[in-house]
Amino acid sequence: MPDSQQQQQPEMNSSALHAAKTHLRSLMKQRLSNLSPDAITSQSNAAFDTLSGFRPYREAKRIGIYLSMPGSEIQTDPIVRHALASGKQVFVPYLHKSGLPAEEGPVRLMDMVSLRDIRDYESLQRDKWGIPSVDGATVHERQRSIGELDGERSADASLDLILLPGVAFDVDPETGAVRRLGHGKGFYDYFLHRYALAAGIEKTSSNDGPSVLLYALALKEQLLSPTAGEAVPVGLHDQPLDGIILGDGQIKQSAGNRRY
């Protein structure tokens, strides 16, 4: 994983960081609302074409991928169908109550759980945001990337590649790291922290990440322009990425990521 940008700039205090992230999310919501469905479809197709020829994706046996909400982000339906048809194991987000007291951790956690096949995927029901969602009654029948769930254990399933969503992204001008602004719930950052612990990685600093490739999928409008004075505000626990695949077909790699 690339070195984190936090060492290269003064760290914001928590209230200033929260305010900066909230402001940027509001700006991005307005910016993305101007995109037509046809433009989003076109960019989603371009991102899929690039991804399907990308060696880390071609070689991955187990991938984690978000299931997209309608509009305002790269649509992942073609990717999920292609991955399943290619014989890959596909893992998708599942949110559940953590069972932790509020002072000890988040109330809800995200895990990645396996899809059985294309029929299983097509049977998923959409939630209130229009996102296809795994039925909680079936979770204990599925493989999980972090085995613990509701106090029960199963074997952890390691992933080769995770494709993440986000609100905004940039490339740190000093470190070259690809940075991500999420939707504000912290599900992915906390999941990646737990994934690293479950994988038995000894974290020697806050910058150590999970031993899995992390790539975002993003509309080209979600990549901020440093020349326009735009930047992703970052905190200590924000996870840098290995790279980003954009809706214009570009791949931007984090500096220092020479594996591909």
Side-chain angles (χ1 to χ4, degrees):
M1 295 296 298
D3 290 338
S4 176
Q5 65 279 8
Q6 288 86 341
Q7 295 177 346
Q8 303 296 322
Q9 61 184 38
E11 185 179 342
M12 295 183 185
N13 64 48
S14 59
S15 60
L17 181 63
H18 177 76
K21 289 185 174 184
T22 299
H23 178 65
L24 181 55
R25 290 188 184 103
S26 178
L27 288 177
M28 293 305 298
K29 182 178 180 180
Q30 183 177 9
R31 180 179 299 178
L32 297 177
S33 70
N34 295 323
L35 293 178
S36 69
D38 286 346
I40 292 172
T41 297
S42 177
Q43 291 200 47
S44 297
N45 290 338
F48 168 69
D49 289 343
T50 295
L51 179 70
S52 62
F54 188 40
R55 186 155 65 95
Y57 170 78
R58 294 200 317 267
E59 295 180 351
K61 294 180 172 60
R62 290 173 170 170
I63 69 167
I65 183 170
Y66 71 95
L67 299 181
S68 52
M69 67 180 76
S72 299
E73 64 182 356
I74 293 292
Q75 301 296 290
T76 57
D77 178 74
I79 300 171
V80 173
R81 292 178 181 276
H82 181 270
L84 289 169
S86 301
K88 301 181 188 299
Q89 278 193 281
V90 177
F91 290 72
V92 299
Y94 172 72
L95 300 178
H96 62 93
K97 292 182 179 179
S98 68
L100 296 172
E103 65 275 8
E104 294 183 15
V107 175
R108 300 178 76 202
L109 295 175
M110 187 189 87
D111 289 317
M112 289 274 183
V113 300
S114 65
L115 297 176
R116 290 186 285 269
D117 51 34
I118 191 65
R119 288 181 296 178
D120 182 30
Y121 168 59
E122 292 176 341
S123 74
L124 301 183
Q125 300 298 305
R126 293 185 180 272
D127 64 14
K128 63 182 180 180
W129 294 284
I131 302 171
S133 300
V134 170
D135 183 350
T138 70
V139 169
H140 294 291
E141 304 165 7
R142 301 175 186 272
Q143 283 189 288
R144 304 193 290 274
S145 57
I146 302 175
E148 189 278 330
L149 180 66
D150 297 337
E152 297 186 17
R153 293 288 305 175
S154 72
D156 295 332
S158 61
L159 303 176
D160 302 311
L161 171 68
I162 298 177
L163 299 171
L164 297 87
V167 175
F169 305 86
D170 74 354
V171 179
D172 187 303
E174 295 185 0
T175 68
V178 173
R179 306 183 294 193
R180 168 184 176 268
L181 175 70
H183 289 275
K185 302 297 185 181
F187 288 132
Y188 275 92
D189 285 318
Y190 197 65
F191 166 78
L192 293 171
H193 170 71
R194 293 168 57 239
Y195 184 93
L197 294 178
I201 297 173
E202 183 177 352
K203 295 173 72 65
T204 56
S205 77
S206 61
N207 301 331
D208 292 338
S211 57
V212 56
L213 288 172
L214 305 177
Y215 278 82
L217 302 174
L219 300 163
K220 61 184 181 181
E221 290 80 6
Q222 292 178 285
L223 183 65
L224 304 183
S225 169
T227 59
E230 299 176 328
V232 170
V234 294
L236 182 62
H237 300 293
D238 292 318
Q239 176 72 55
L241 306 178
D242 288 291
I244 183 171
I245 297 171
L246 295 166
D248 59 5
Q250 289 188 79
I251 300 176
K252 291 189 177 294
Q253 307 270 15
S254 278
N257 178 25
R258 299 187 177 88
R259 287 175 283 182
Y260 298 95

